[in-house]
Amino acid sequence: MSTILLIDDSTRILADTAEKLEQAGYKYDYVDDYKVAFNFLRLSRPSVQIVVVSLNNSLGYPMMRKVQSLMSDRATIIVYSQDKDATISSWIKRQKLPFFFKHDEEADAMFNSIKRSLYSKGQFFTHQQLLKLARVLSKYTNQAQQLVKEAAPHSKSLQELEHKLARKLDGIDKQRRFLSDLQK
């Protein structure tokens, strides 16, 4: 399960954000139907840390209230909208949702907000980085996946994580080869 859920009632609004997340190595789930989104949130609530919602008109207000009541205690909720007449942004302010970004104008700011939110929740590594570490580590131990899962939450930099994993290996020779393989 990923930690980011993108809810997009129009598959083109959050498509750029999804592409940026993928290029940066983050794992996410993307749904384009609110019913599917609520089922997903009910099943995956503990693992979802960020919910990004595209809100395009007042028809989405009831859905936003449901997302807010279901997830506001455990996830960062980010709203992304075209908001041509500023009614959506004023409604978002009244709902006390802290993150609102305008479509096409603030796409980079929203992406940076997602990354900052992940860092604030202790997720310093992308899915791709962890997969690469596990793949290289698997040459030296059968417990690579488990070791990466255990060490990653307690490491604040990639170098720190790499060295923690190296110390888990038996023998200085294996440790050196592992660190050398990571540099390739």
Side-chain angles (χ1 to χ4, degrees):
M1 291 282 160
S2 64
T3 59
I4 304 169
L5 176 63
L6 304 177
I7 305 173
D8 194 357
D9 59 357
S10 165
T11 55
R12 64 175 187 65
I13 302 254
L14 289 172
D16 289 341
T17 303
E19 188 177 319
K20 285 181 183 177
L21 288 169
E22 200 167 301
Q23 289 172 353
Y26 292 102
K27 189 175 177 189
Y28 64 89
D29 287 294
Y30 193 106
V31 296
D32 61 0
D33 178 71
Y34 296 126
K35 289 179 183 176
V36 173
F38 290 125
N39 286 335
F40 182 89
L41 288 172
R42 283 187 192 100
L43 295 172
S44 309
R45 189 173 181 263
S47 66
V48 174
Q49 294 181 359
I50 299 175
V51 179
V52 182
V53 181
S54 74
L55 183 63
N56 298 308
N57 55 46
S58 61
L59 296 175
Y61 291 172
M63 180 278 314
M64 264 314 304
R65 286 189 190 105
K66 286 182 183 178
V67 169
Q68 187 177 12
S69 69
L70 185 63
M71 297 302 292
S72 65
D73 64 330
R74 76 172 307 96
T76 301
I77 299 173
I78 298 172
V79 180
Y80 194 53
S81 175
Q82 291 176 334
D83 196 33
K84 294 176 182 162
D85 60 0
T87 56
I88 294 174
S89 61
S90 63
W91 184 82
I92 293 296
K93 287 178 187 172
R94 285 195 306 273
Q95 300 305 309
K96 297 185 170 114
L97 288 165
F99 299 103
F100 174 79
F101 299 96
K102 289 185 179 179
H103 176 61
D104 289 335
E105 296 174 29
E106 300 175 312
D108 290 336
M110 183 183 69
F111 181 67
N112 290 333
S113 180
I114 291 170
K115 290 195 307 188
R116 276 193 302 279
S117 182
L118 288 171
Y119 291 143
S120 72
K121 295 175 186 290
Q123 279 206 327
F124 302 106
F125 313 105
T126 67
H127 184 67
Q128 282 180 337
Q129 288 171 321
L130 296 177
L131 282 176
K132 179 185 175 194
L133 282 172
R135 189 174 51 249
V136 174
L137 188 61
S138 68
K139 295 176 187 176
Y140 302 98
T141 180
N142 292 334
Q143 301 168 343
Q145 292 279 21
Q146 186 63 29
L147 291 173
V148 171
K149 281 182 182 178
E150 289 172 1
H154 307 289
S155 305
K156 294 190 180 184
S157 73
L158 192 55
Q159 186 178 17
E160 178 185 355
L161 178 56
E162 291 169 351
H163 286 273
K164 281 183 180 180
L165 293 172
R167 285 192 293 273
K168 301 278 184 182
L169 297 173
D170 294 329
I172 191 79
D173 199 37
K174 276 188 180 179
Q175 294 173 1
R176 285 183 183 156
R177 283 193 317 229
F178 168 68
L179 291 171
S180 160
D181 284 351
L182 288 173
Q183 302 306 315
K184 294 179 184 176

